[in-house]
Amino acid sequence: MAASTSPLLLALLLLPALTAVASLPALPLSTASRWIVGADGRRVKLACANWASHLEPAAAEGLARRGVSDIAARVAAMGFNCVRLTWATYLATNATLASLPLRWSLERLGMLESVAGVRVNNPALLDLPLVDVFREVVSSLASKGIMVILDNQMTTPGWCCSRTDGNGFFGDVYFDPGEWLKGLSAMATMFNNTKYVVGMSLRNELRGPKQNVSLWYRYMQLGAEAVHAANPNVLVILSGLDFDNTLSFLFKEKVNLSFSGKLVYEQHWYGFSDGGNWETQNQNDACGMVVDFIWRKGLFLLQQGWPLFFSEFGFDMSGAHIGDNRYLTCFLSVAAEMDLDWSIWALQGSYYIREGILAYDESYGLLSWDWCTARNPSFIKRINSLQSPFQGPGLPNTHEPYNIIFHPQSGLCVLARSSKLLELGPCDESNAWNYTSAYELVVKSTGQCLQAKSVGNNAKLGTDCSKPSSKWHLISNSKMHVSAELTKNGTRVCLDASPDGAIRTNQCKCLSVDPTCDPESQWFKVILSSRDIPGAGGDTILQVPSLGPWHPTSLSS
């Protein structure tokens, strides 16, 4: 979509050093039904970036590229309020590794250029023990108002994940449950008085031939209790099986813990692991099928009143991967509809070393290879509206919740500037809509409803809401085509966002079969919001009449 570059993005791209400070919620965090809330009871939405610190050097990536304070400032400037910071168990349990100076850790791996880079960009860190470097990274994030979730990725420092790397499941050669529990306790204790450390993820992507549900319950419950005993202020975050794609076993039996108000589950969702056939299947069919799959695997937990954190999603930020691009738009539609907590993989633009390759370029990275600019600035703008909550306890709106019309391709929402001008714009400026049981989309402040006039013309507002041209149904397997019938001839049309952001009505496209057709300009989500939007009326809101595959009736794995 054509749009001017935001001041926030200009700051990210142009300034050599940033000083942005995020607005910190009231801490510590806890849970209230499916929501994560602050100490004041207000919803706190986790909008995070993953920052790897678990590979062979056992130090946060990028310290040879940019100053740690500058990296933290860039996180804040991009609108994120938290970082999921990874760590290897040995950093907490192996005194030899923990006490190794960063310089020596890099030199032992033959990375003399990285040593020189740290000397230039982070000289104060170069001769610190690795465990103190980790503390300094947390401190730098805290100084910019960034919350931290500590994620135990591996036992031995290295790239994650393989089914046969010995780090996959309890009892594997490098995954001793006793040492893991010791490491969790040590890390929780280390940050017991650090309020910015708001959560601990017990283990990343459990996997491999030894995985089983019985041992999952045994050890994840022990791990949760160990963390809570050492640090009762942090959220305790539990991952699932099959590379954190599967939490379906929780449908019938939840974990049994001595504490409450601190438990969060986490799930991962990538286009390469979600069961979809994104490049060879019709995009509506693929999205509908995948969301049904994701719902059965874990998304149902929200419906049951449990917080669910999508702690990893990501895509090739070059924009050249068709399957990733299609998956991403589907993910963003669900992230908006369900108002998910999430963390993107990944912040780092490159690694010291990954899988034996020095200076490995991270194509999924938010930052460029040299950590100086945004790799995909349009994506940062696209997720801006998803970095703040739409729903949840304590939002400022004093009226009943209302609907907004979200366009996942752009990350924008439908705005009614006048009765004849509807266009895409920031979701914070959206009108308050009411999607009624009669399938009308009504602007609550005026009572006017959305109407289709003809093929190719702008959608408009009017007062006669009884005609078929004012009855908007959600069609296609994606449930994202917002469709009405023209009064004159019964032609079915769909809302369509033009390249200039205008909202028109065109013949519905790509509804099924064709795998080459791109429907994304016609993809919209009618979602609930409680944001404080001027002009929101007090009409009674009704839920979207049909959510189709988003709420499957069978939840067996």
Side-chain angles (χ1 to χ4, degrees):
M1 291 297 139
S4 60
T5 303
S6 68
L8 180 69
L9 188 57
L10 284 174
L12 173 70
L13 296 176
L14 301 179
L15 292 184
L18 300 173
T19 57
V21 177
S23 176
L24 193 70
L27 300 175
L29 302 182
S30 61
T31 64
S33 184
R34 64 146 290 188
W35 309 109
I36 295 170
V37 298
D40 56 1
R42 294 169 60 90
R43 164 87 190 277
V44 176
K45 182 174 184 174
L46 298 178
C48 314
N50 283 274
W51 189 356
S53 185
H54 67 276
L55 277 75
E56 284 86 349
E61 302 295 334
L63 300 180
R65 302 288 184 188
R66 308 296 297 179
V68 63
S69 181
D70 177 69
I71 296 171
R74 288 168 187 270
V75 174
M78 288 187 287
F80 299 99
N81 65 6
C82 105
V83 158
R84 182 175 180 253
L85 184 65
T86 67
W87 59 284
T89 302
Y90 283 176
L91 185 67
T93 63
N94 186 311
T96 301
L97 178 67
S99 62
L100 189 69
L102 176 58
R103 178 202 301 269
W104 293 7
S105 181
L106 296 171
E107 287 179 349
R108 72 191 168 99
L109 296 167
M111 292 186 286
L112 300 183
E113 288 188 9
S114 292
V115 172
V118 175
R119 183 183 296 114
V120 170
N121 292 294
N122 291 285
L125 302 183
L126 187 59
D127 293 305
L128 282 184
L130 290 174
V131 70
D132 290 336
V133 172
F134 192 84
R135 288 191 183 101
E136 287 299 316
V137 171
V138 171
S139 179
S140 291
L141 290 166
S143 71
K144 303 304 180 186
I146 302 296
M147 298 178 289
V148 177
I149 292 171
L150 303 177
D151 169 63
N152 180 229
Q153 278 263 327
M154 301 275 280
T155 303
T156 57
W159 176 248
C160 180
C161 300
S162 162
R163 295 183 185 275
T164 59
D165 58 17
N167 284 265
F169 198 71
F170 307 108
D172 279 359
V173 62
Y174 300 118
F175 198 170
D176 174 70
E179 182 171 36
W180 171 71
L181 291 170
K182 179 183 175 182
L184 290 177
S185 295
M187 192 63 75
T189 301
M190 186 184 306
F191 292 100
N192 197 0
N193 295 315
T194 307
K195 68 177 182 178
Y196 290 86
V197 175
V198 299
M200 286 188 61
S201 180
L202 300 193
R203 187 70 172 199
N204 183 68
E205 296 194 355
L206 294 165
R207 60 198 179 275
K210 292 186 178 182
Q211 65 177 350
N212 67 84
V213 171
S214 176
L215 288 182
W216 185 93
Y217 278 101
R218 178 193 300 179
Y219 288 120
M220 292 304 262
Q221 288 173 170
L222 287 173
E225 295 288 1
V227 167
H228 185 72
N231 187 346
N233 291 320
V234 294
L235 299 172
V236 179
I237 305 171
L238 274 59
S239 62
L241 298 174
D242 297 324
F243 295 86
D244 208 6
N245 287 307
T246 301
L247 290 158
S248 54
F249 49 88
L250 290 166
F251 182 66
K252 294 182 179 179
E253 181 184 357
K254 303 301 182 292
V255 298
N256 183 20
L257 301 174
S258 66
F259 60 91
S260 60
K262 289 289 181 178
L263 178 62
V264 176
Y265 294 105
E266 66 177 316
Q267 186 173 2
H268 292 177
W269 181 358
Y270 289 100
F272 57 77
S273 62
D274 62 11
N277 205 345
W278 289 107
E279 294 191 43
T280 60
Q281 191 174 7
N282 174 270
Q283 200 166 339
N284 287 290
D285 296 339
C287 185
M289 180 192 70
V290 165
V291 174
D292 181 73
F293 175 82
I294 296 296
W295 187 275
R296 295 168 188 272
K297 292 296 185 180
L299 201 56
F300 67 88
L301 287 162
L302 295 175
Q303 190 179 54
Q304 292 188 344
W306 296 93
L308 180 64
F309 174 38
F310 276 80
S311 57
E312 286 188 26
F313 80 97
F315 71 107
D316 183 342
M317 293 214 180
S318 71
H321 193 287
I322 294 174
D324 268 9
N325 296 342
R326 293 177 171 183
Y327 138 82
L328 178 66
T329 306
C330 183
F331 172 86
L332 295 179
S333 73
V334 178
E337 181 185 27
M338 304 305 297
D339 203 7
L340 299 178
D341 297 279
W342 49 263
S343 184
I344 187 167
W345 186 275
L347 173 67
Q348 59 269 8
S350 57
Y351 300 88
Y352 304 110
I353 186 171
R354 174 178 153 181
E355 299 170 288
I357 300 175
L358 293 172
Y360 188 105
D361 183 39
E362 176 54 273
S363 62
Y364 281 42
L366 286 163
L367 297 177
S368 57
W369 177 86
D370 59 7
W371 292 65
C372 289
T373 61
R375 186 180 293 262
N376 187 334
S378 64
F379 172 71
I380 296 171
K381 294 176 67 177
R382 189 177 178 186
I383 61 168
N384 179 254
S385 62
L386 302 182
Q387 291 174 319
S388 301
F390 289 112
Q391 305 174 51
L395 262 64
N397 181 46
T398 58
H399 302 282
E400 291 286 338
Y402 51 87
N403 294 118
I404 61 177
I405 307 172
F406 178 73
H407 185 244
Q409 183 188 46
S410 63
L412 301 173
C413 287
V414 175
L415 312 185
R417 300 295 191 187
S418 69
S419 62
K420 296 183 179 180
L421 178 60
L422 279 76
E423 62 184 7
L424 294 177
C427 292
D428 282 343
E429 300 175 13
S430 173
N431 308 82
W433 297 83
N434 183 9
Y435 189 30
T436 74
S437 59
Y439 302 100
E440 301 153 347
L441 281 164
V442 181
V443 178
K444 289 163 69 73
S445 60
T446 67
Q448 292 182 306
C449 60
L450 183 64
Q451 298 179 342
K453 184 179 179 181
S454 61
V455 174
N457 277 25
N458 290 347
K460 65 174 186 174
L461 297 178
T463 55
D464 184 356
C465 305
S466 62
K467 298 178 180 179
S469 58
S470 298
K471 309 295 183 182
W472 297 92
H473 296 265
L474 306 179
I475 64 171
S476 80
N477 284 335
S478 70
K479 300 299 182 187
M480 284 192 278
H481 281 80
V482 183
S483 175
E485 292 183 3
L486 298 180
T487 302
K488 290 184 178 180
N489 55 19
T491 298
R492 181 162 292 280
V493 294
C494 285
L495 293 185
D496 199 341
S498 65
D500 63 359
I503 304 300
R504 298 190 169 94
T505 52
N506 284 313
Q507 289 188 330
C508 303
K509 60 183 180 181
C510 316
L511 297 183
S512 63
V513 182
D514 187 355
T516 64
C517 187
D518 180 1
E520 292 186 14
S521 68
Q522 293 188 348
W523 274 9
F524 294 86
K525 268 291 177 187
V526 181
I527 65 176
L528 284 175
S529 176
S530 296
R531 292 182 180 180
D532 191 11
I533 298 181
D539 302 332
T540 300
I541 193 73
L542 296 172
Q543 294 281 357
V544 177
S546 173
L547 291 179
W550 315 103
H551 294 75
T553 55
S554 173
L555 290 167
S556 59
S557 59

